Amino acid sequence: MSDPRIFDRRAVRAHRRRAASSFADHDFLFREVADRLAERLLDIQRPFTWVAEIDARGPILEQALRNAGVFEHRGISRYLRLTDDRSAGPSILADPELLPLAPQAVDLLVSNLALHWVNDLPGLLVQARRALRPDGMLLASLLGGQTLHELRAVLLEAESEIDGGVSPRVSPFADIRDTGALLQRAGLALPVSDVDSIDVTYQDAFALLRDLRGMGETNAVRDRRRAFSRRAMLMRAAELYHERHRTADGRIHATFQVLYLAGWAPHESQQKPLRPGSAKGRLADALGAVEHSAGEKARPR
Amino acid sequence: MAEPADVDPKLLEILVCPLTKQPLRYDRAKQELISDTARLAYPIRDGIPIMLVEEARKLDEDSPVGR
């Protein structure tokens, strides 16, 4: 039987380790999205005493929240970094797919551009909901399905032209159409998911690939080709990339699509639909209309 | 050898075994968090709990632990 897991977590760790020493030169996307998460938290009128970050890439998100005043305004007293990367300054060394958190452990769970490497996102969301105190919040950003669509297309085309076959080179990502349902299925209340598209320009496709390596975000799909890509194939891909996605000043565009997921651990204070049959007024009266019977009697259970 | 860095007791309260999600026992002398249900001991190094299954020590099946 083939293994159903899509991502090779050991490769993810290896890529991040390799990137660790120069990550600061390639972390602009992480810092930008961390700032956007901080803005969202400033809009929430509720204190968060204990916070845990899932799959932290160093102090970037924590720093962004401090700088934006989230710690001060939301009363954060503990911030735990959960990661399986020793170089990221962990509070707890943990596999992001297996949270070691007790039921109702924290008030807020955050994650910044990391969960697109998780094999079982629905399972992780269930674990997250259990770890939240009632009315606790989950807020995460992750890369979405349109990310690097330009690169994906030109690599596929160059590879099939030159090698006569294709292998997965750019990760499959979650899609915005699925995320709301995932949150709901995990039992999170008031689920919200939305999307941002960040357009980055690079000198050429090689500069983009260097940056991805610097971020530690290169391919960790289990069925990826392990052999080095042939130079001819990469040259052809770079050429196609430049033909199709160049900017006015001769650089190239690369799209990073960022999904934001937010949801709450259920609590009685949250708004919810009323029980069927509990209405105190008639819809016809509210609409100023005349009610015509459809010939059926309502039978509330 | 220096005294092991003590781990924050409040942190221990919110940790469970990542596999079974059951409570852990803290062995202060050995600096380990013991999951009786998974028969694993998770080490604490420099005050950081290492909650990785692949780094946990397997507890011997027949010898009773922590009695």
Side-chain angles (χ1 to χ4, degrees):
Chain A
M1 271 302 285
S2 71
D3 193 315
R5 285 173 299 178
I6 299 168
F7 300 117
D8 179 349
R9 287 295 310 185
R10 281 171 53 192
V12 173
R13 278 206 290 271
H15 293 162
R16 289 177 179 177
R17 250 199 320 276
R18 194 175 58 193
S21 59
S22 56
F23 186 49
D25 301 330
H26 300 277
D27 65 356
F28 70 95
L29 193 66
F30 295 81
R31 279 186 283 114
E32 172 64 33
V33 177
D35 288 342
R36 296 185 187 190
L37 289 175
E39 271 170 40
R40 283 160 192 251
L41 285 174
L42 282 176
D43 289 340
I44 311 277
Q45 299 301 316
R46 176 205 188 287
F48 297 116
T49 313
W50 278 63
V51 180
E53 179 178 355
I54 305 172
D55 209 5
R57 300 287 309 272
I60 292 177
L61 181 57
E62 183 177 350
Q63 214 53 61
L65 301 189
R66 277 188 199 281
N67 295 346
V70 177
F71 271 63
E72 188 190 335
H73 295 299
R74 294 293 159 266
I76 295 175
S77 70
R78 288 300 300 262
Y79 190 97
L80 304 170
R81 292 211 288 264
L82 271 67
T83 166
D84 56 5
D85 177 2
R86 282 184 169 75
S87 64
S91 322
I92 301 166
L93 216 59
D95 181 340
E97 299 187 330
L98 288 174
L99 298 183
L101 297 175
Q104 308 193 6
V106 296
D107 304 291
L108 173 65
L109 281 169
V110 285
S111 185
N112 186 29
L113 295 184
L115 299 187
H116 49 276
W117 290 121
V118 162
N119 279 298
D120 179 13
L121 188 57
L124 177 66
L125 292 176
V126 171
Q127 295 181 56
R129 193 252 302 151
R130 290 191 183 136
L132 287 172
R133 294 179 185 150
D135 209 29
M137 188 194 195
L138 168 81
L139 177 65
S141 64
L142 64 157
L143 291 174
Q146 287 302 305
T147 298
L148 300 177
H149 67 87
E150 305 92 346
L151 181 66
R152 191 191 304 256
V154 297
L155 281 174
L156 277 178
E157 193 170 330
E159 192 174 15
S160 63
E161 254 179 45
I162 291 183
D163 295 347
V166 294
S167 61
R169 288 174 181 279
V170 178
S171 282
F173 294 107
D175 196 279
I176 183 71
R177 281 169 304 196
D178 309 325
T179 48
L182 283 182
L183 289 164
Q184 212 153 27
R185 227 170 74 193
L188 288 157
L190 312 174
V192 179
S193 53
D194 61 308
V195 63
D196 246 352
S197 199
I198 299 179
D199 182 55
V200 184
T201 70
Y202 289 94
Q203 193 190 338
D204 54 27
F206 295 104
L208 165 61
L209 292 173
R210 269 198 304 280
D211 202 34
L212 291 175
R213 210 168 297 124
M215 295 181 198
E217 290 291 311
T218 43
N219 196 358
V221 174
R222 288 174 59 91
D223 293 333
R224 70 195 181 280
R225 242 167 85 142
R226 311 291 163 124
F228 283 110
S229 304
R230 281 166 50 197
R231 178 127 192 108
M233 196 281 286
L234 289 179
M235 294 297 288
R236 179 64 185 138
E239 205 174 84
L240 289 168
Y241 204 128
H242 194 259
E243 271 169 29
R244 294 190 190 152
H245 308 287
R246 68 166 168 264
T247 63
D249 55 355
R251 292 166 65 85
I252 56 160
H253 287 288
T255 303
F256 290 91
Q257 188 191 39
V258 181
L259 308 183
Y260 296 90
L261 308 186
W264 296 80
H267 186 255
E268 58 194 13
S269 70
Q270 292 157 355
Q271 67 260 37
K272 28 180 117 41
L274 294 171
R275 206 163 42 79
S278 65
K280 297 208 172 62
R282 296 160 69 92
L283 181 62
D285 295 342
L287 296 172
V290 181
E291 189 177 87
H292 299 283
S293 168
E296 297 159 23
K297 286 252 193 285
R299 261 177 299 176
R301 271 170 282 186
Chain B
M1 213 178 92
E3 274 287 290
D6 238 354
V7 69
D8 178 353
K10 278 199 156 165
L11 181 59
L12 294 185
E13 275 171 32
I14 65 155
L15 289 180
V16 292
C17 174
L19 277 184
T20 63
K21 308 287 190 213
Q22 296 301 308
L24 299 160
R25 283 187 300 113
Y26 177 35
D27 185 333
R28 194 167 181 280
K30 282 193 177 150
Q31 287 291 299
E32 283 180 338
L33 292 166
I34 293 153
S35 169
D36 289 315
T37 46
R39 308 292 301 157
L40 290 171
Y42 300 93
I44 300 172
R45 296 191 195 115
D46 304 320
I48 300 169
I50 317 285
M51 306 307 291
L52 299 171
V53 175
E54 64 268 26
E55 297 200 19
R57 184 171 66 83
K58 283 196 184 65
L59 299 179
D60 185 9
E61 289 293 340
D62 349 78
S63 79
V65 182
R67 305 250 170 107

